[in-house]
Amino acid sequence: MNLPNKLTLARIALVPVFMLCASHPFHPAWMLAAALVFTLASLTDFLDGYLARRWNMVTDFGKFADPLADKLLTTTAFLYMMTMSACSPVVLAVILAREFAVSGVRMLAAAQNRVVAANLWGKVKTVLQMLTIIVFYFGVALEAWQGSMGVSVYLSQIVGYALCWLVAAVTLLSGVIYLWQNRDCFMRAK
């Protein structure tokens, strides 16, 4: 197993660690830990793709596991944000619908012995999702720390909520573009 694939597996392994940290909402140390774990996991996403392309180590396993790792990580984070009222269930439904639709297209393509790669909009969507989550968890950690000093601020929830709606819009757009670009998969399906 090459290094990029090991980084992808490390990202998957960080999901339960993130869950442990995020399950203590509004506690400064735990929210900071959640932010740091998520940031580290997000960096592995950038690094594994960069190394795989640079060292010509792109594998079928990586093509499957990398988007799966991203989906596990970001969906988990948005679920925890929803429990803290910083993400609407509608946003999460849009994210999940897009991911199921894209996975369906990839399954159809695989049945036709084709590999459908991620497009630019999918990458933009993932980066925006990750940045939204990082901003939110660092913001909650800072505000929880300020709250422990008697300062009550909920700016991170407001910003998180607004960014989640932006994520929903970009996610929806990327899904529509992806389905349109790969509409021939439906035509060829038996």
Side-chain angles (χ1 to χ4, degrees), residues 77-93 95 132 136 157 160-165 167-168:
F78 281 116
L79 279 168
Y80 279 97
M81 288 173 68
M82 193 175 71
T83 66
M84 292 187 282
S85 300
C87 183
S88 167
V90 173
V91 171
L92 190 57
I95 291 169
T132 295
F136 173 75
Q157 283 181 288
Y161 204 77
L163 286 173
C164 281
W165 281 106
V167 162

Side-chain angles (χ1 to χ4, degrees), residues 53-73:
R53 286 184 299 278
R54 177 151 173 121
W55 294 344
N56 197 24
M57 293 181 157
V58 176
T59 64
D60 288 339
F61 174 80
K63 289 177 189 176
F64 166 77
D66 182 64
L68 176 64
D70 293 345
K71 289 174 181 114
L72 287 170
L73 183 65

Side-chain angles (χ1 to χ4, degrees), residues 23 31 36-37 74 122 155 181:
S23 65
M31 290 293 97
L36 291 171
V37 168
T74 57
L155 183 60
Q181 287 176 338

Side-chain angles (χ1 to χ4, degrees), residues 100-176:
F100 284 128
V102 167
S103 294
V105 168
R106 287 188 174 143
M107 284 189 281
L108 281 173
Q112 299 164 15
N113 294 320
R114 296 174 40 203
V115 175
V116 178
N119 64 20
L120 175 65
W121 281 102
K123 293 175 193 285
V124 168
K125 178 251 336 161
T126 300
V127 169
L128 182 58
Q129 286 179 349
M130 289 180 173
L131 287 175
T132 295
I133 293 163
I134 290 167
V135 166
F136 173 75
Y137 280 97
F138 274 114
V140 169
L142 178 62
E143 289 177 7
W145 176 73
Q146 290 174 337
S148 68
M149 296 179 3
V151 178
S152 179
V153 181
Y154 295 99
L155 183 60
S156 64
Q157 283 181 288
I158 295 167
V159 170
Y161 204 77
L163 286 173
C164 281
W165 281 106
L166 178 60
V167 162
V170 171
T171 299
L172 183 62
L173 177 64
S174 76
V176 168

